[in-house]
Amino acid sequence: MSSTVASLDMPSGEEYLLPSRQHITGFGFYLYLLSDGILFASLFAVFAVLRTATDGGPDGHMLFSAHNAFVETACLLTSSFTCGMAMLACDRRNKFVALVAFLVTAVLGIVFLTLEVHEFADLISRGDGPDRSAFLSSFFTLVSTHGLHVTCGLLWLGVLLVQFLGRGFTPAMLRRFLCFSLFWHVLDVVWIGVFTFVYLIGGYL
Amino acid sequence: MTTHQRHDPPRRGDSRTPGLESPEAHGSLRGYIIGYLAAIALTIAAFAAAPSTSMAPFSIKAALAVLAIAQMLVHLIFFLHINTAPAQKTNIMAFAATMLIIAIVVIGSMWIMGHLNHNMVPMNRLMQMQR
């Protein structure tokens, strides 16, 4: 166990009066995530407004595969669950389980991203890229903003795991893992909106 | 100059931090499993309801929206551990303010743009008028 606690926490005499550093970081990150939710909400609003602006091109019924979206949903949901398992392992200071659970999270995230990039490449190769219509512009903006978040999350997780191998359960690592897990769960919440409003309502109705 | 060296294991924050709580409250394996199973059930229900032809399109849309909101709540409660405990008051207030902004942005955009679309001269007539 590391002994560098004092430098990272509040002075020990005041720790019951002041919130802990982990609390402050967690709350700040939570506020960032809420603002990210507003970003996604405005992209959802754009998609809802431009849903019928297909300029004579293909609409959601012709383009979207619910099967693909279902596999993507399963990957992201399970990765959110394994991320939670990793956080529980962090609580118990179980390094091996935490590492394995985070690695599963990362692999599922990579599978999700691969499926999404494959879908985008398929659409663009058929001439239905973001330049085809306002509807497709809004679709690519919304879904790829989510995909970009997932990409950043994977890079972040990779860096965290390298640090974790060297440092173990320091307070700083636990704080970073906490922020990462909040970020990852919120991405899954956003994805619920994507598969419902883009792939199901846009693809079937 | 005394250095505050502590050797007790670091705490994972306190009960007011999102995603953090005392071990006896939430964040248990059981909570994650319940959340995961509920999310799977709601996802499958949504994917099963969408291609249905026996319901009117409007009722399918309404059902999908309800399922999505329910699943988001499941995630918030079981994965993000946001609850109505008094210690989480600040979190809930920030969350409620964000929901208000999101509602204004989404509902307001759809409302205004729907009316604009409705009131606009159709494009083919507009082009005739310009001749």
Side-chain angles (χ1 to χ4, degrees), chain A residues 172-192:
Chain A
M173 284 314 295
L174 292 171
R175 211 164 51 228
R176 289 164 198 169
F177 278 141
L178 166 72
C179 289
F180 172 78
S181 75
L182 291 173
F183 182 75
W184 202 252
H185 290 319
V186 165
L187 284 187
D188 204 13
V189 174
V190 172
W191 180 256
I192 297 168

Side-chain angles (χ1 to χ4, degrees), chain A residues 109-137:
Chain A
I110 291 167
V111 172
F112 169 85
L113 214 55
T114 312
L115 287 170
E116 190 166 288
V117 167
H118 192 263
E119 185 197 9
F120 282 2
D122 193 37
L123 285 175
I124 291 169
S125 70
R126 282 187 284 155
D128 300 327
D131 53 344
R132 177 64 188 84
S133 62
F135 157 68
L136 278 166
S137 302

Side-chain angles (χ1 to χ4, degrees), chain A residues 4-173:
Chain A
T4 56
V5 183
S7 64
L8 294 160
D9 247 326
M10 288 290 165
S12 54
E14 293 168 332
E15 66 181 346
Y16 296 107
L17 301 173
L18 291 167
S20 70
R21 170 148 181 198
Q22 195 153 29
H23 173 207
I24 295 169
T25 309
F27 185 67
F29 199 76
Y30 172 72
L31 291 182
Y32 153 68
L33 290 172
L34 290 176
S35 74
D36 229 22
I38 296 173
L39 165 73
F40 278 110
S42 45
L43 292 178
F44 273 111
V46 171
F47 180 79
V49 165
L50 296 176
R51 203 158 78 85
T52 51
T54 53
D55 188 27
D59 60 5
H61 301 78
M62 308 175 201
L63 294 178
F64 300 150
S65 147
H67 179 259
N68 194 47
F70 186 76
V71 178
E72 286 177 292
T73 307
C75 285
L76 213 56
L77 178 58
T78 309
S79 81
S80 211
F81 177 70
T82 56
C83 184
M85 294 299 98
M87 290 312 290
L88 289 180
C90 285
D91 277 350
R92 285 180 276 118
R93 304 288 184 271
N94 189 331
K95 194 168 180 177
F96 177 73
V97 175
L99 196 63
V100 169
F102 276 130
L103 282 176
V104 174
T105 306
V107 167
L108 287 168
I110 291 167
V111 172
F112 169 85
L113 214 55
T114 312
L115 287 170
E116 190 166 288
V117 167
H118 192 263
E119 185 197 9
F120 282 2
D122 193 37
L123 285 175
I124 291 169
S125 70
R126 282 187 284 155
D128 300 327
D131 53 344
R132 177 64 188 84
S133 62
F135 157 68
L136 278 166
S137 302
S138 65
F139 164 77
F140 274 93
T141 310
L142 170 59
V143 181
S144 63
T145 303
H146 179 269
L148 197 62
H149 276 75
V150 174
T151 312
C152 293
L154 287 172
L155 291 174
W156 184 11
L157 181 58
V159 173
L160 285 185
L161 288 181
V162 171
Q163 289 184 327
F164 179 56
L165 283 176
R167 303 180 194 183
F169 291 108
T170 62
M173 284 314 295

Side-chain angles (χ1 to χ4, degrees), chain B residues 11-12 55-56 58 70 80-81 83 90 92 102 125-126 129:
Chain B
R11 294 168 302 138
R12 267 192 65 202
M55 283 191 285
F58 175 77
L80 284 157
H81 313 305
N83 57 47
T90 323
I92 295 291
I102 287 177
R125 266 181 56 200
L126 196 68
M129 281 154 67

